[in-house]
Amino acid sequence: MDFSQLAGFAAVSITLAMTPGADWAYCISSGLRSRRVTPSVAGLCTGYLFHTALIVAGLAALIAASPGLLTGLTLAGAAYLLWLGVSTMRSWRGAGFTDGITTPVPAAEGQPEPSAETGSGSGGSVALAVRAPVSSRRAVERREFLKGLGTSGTNPKALLLYLALIPQFVDPAAALALPLQSLVLGLSHFGVSVLVYTLVALGARRLLRSRPAAARAVTLASGILMVCVALVLLGERLLLLA
């Protein structure tokens, strides 16, 4: 592989990662739900590592050539996206910038409840709050990771895209074996996706944290986009089976 091949693949990879779709919708909704976007982005990009492993092992071509397997993957991916999109749409009214794992400290017996206002000195009151237990935070992060993994890992379009794109940039005459070339290209797209999706999630959080109305609208739009992608996947597969 030479530099021109890597540069060409990088240009295509960046273009694809920056194209809005189900992954973007999930990144945006995650940025509005949680203070930490790392679990969600890690889940999404782990799905691309899964597709890379299939390419390197030669299983992706087998799945693409098997109508039954491809139909099963399409139905699973569409059903998951449909569920995730509907769940996101149902949560749009409460969309905002919150981690969802902060709980109030109960007032001591005989003491007044802490005020929501903050202050210092006499006459001031301080709102007391503690984080939920570490196990609760880890459970939330694990759930966000698995949602991201399901979004990209069960997406048949991502698998077919890898199958169609990566072979165009491998060189049979190169000293590096074809599976290793595929691995390098797959990891390159993984790195690009990590960067782009992190910026999308953080950008949504920063731009919308002080705009609750916009946050609700974007959350609703993200859910609708996921549902539309799911319906398109189902429609395409039904047309092929007809």
Side-chain angles (χ1 to χ4, degrees):
M1 297 179 67
D2 56 27
F3 177 77
S4 61
Q5 284 179 295
L6 288 175
F9 180 81
V12 175
S13 178
I14 292 172
T15 301
L16 292 174
M18 294 185 66
T19 302
D23 290 353
W24 268 53
Y26 181 68
C27 286
I28 292 171
S29 64
S30 173
L32 295 176
R33 281 197 311 269
S34 175
R35 288 184 180 274
R36 294 195 65 213
V37 300
T38 304
S40 301
V41 173
L44 278 173
C45 295
T46 299
Y48 289 117
L49 287 181
F50 172 69
H51 293 313
T52 299
L54 291 180
I55 291 289
V56 172
L59 297 178
L62 176 63
I63 294 174
S66 174
L69 287 176
L70 190 57
T71 297
L73 179 62
T74 300
L75 293 177
Y80 180 79
L81 271 180
L82 189 61
W83 170 80
L84 190 60
V86 171
S87 299
T88 301
M89 290 168 60
R90 292 178 61 185
S91 67
W92 75 277
R93 291 185 182 276
F97 187 70
T98 174
D99 57 12
I101 51 177
T102 301
T103 56
V105 175
E109 185 176 355
Q111 296 294 327
E113 292 289 335
S115 167
E117 300 175 354
T118 59
S120 60
S122 61
S125 60
V126 179
L128 299 178
V130 295
R131 293 286 183 184
V134 174
S135 58
S136 298
R137 296 202 299 272
R138 288 178 177 173
V140 171
E141 292 175 353
R142 189 181 306 115
R143 186 166 60 248
E144 293 299 312
F145 174 86
L146 292 175
K147 284 183 179 179
L149 177 59
T151 299
S152 59
T154 62
N155 187 353
K157 281 189 173 296
L159 178 62
L160 294 176
L161 179 65
Y162 264 51
L163 190 61
L165 177 63
I166 288 181
Q168 306 302 318
F169 292 91
V170 298
D171 183 5
L176 195 63
L178 292 179
L180 291 180
Q181 292 184 54
S182 300
L183 179 61
V184 169
L185 294 175
L187 292 178
S188 299
H189 185 67
F190 168 81
V192 169
S193 299
V194 169
L195 177 60
V196 171
Y197 293 158
T198 299
L199 292 177
V200 169
L202 293 178
R205 186 180 74 178
R206 183 172 182 83
L207 292 174
L208 301 173
R209 63 184 300 180
S210 60
R211 301 173 177 85
R216 288 191 290 269
V218 170
T219 299
L220 180 61
S222 298
I224 292 174
L225 178 59
M226 293 182 199
V227 170
C228 289
V229 171
L231 294 178
V232 168
L233 288 174
L234 287 174
E236 290 179 346
R237 182 50 46 181
L238 291 175
L239 287 176
L240 289 175
L241 294 176

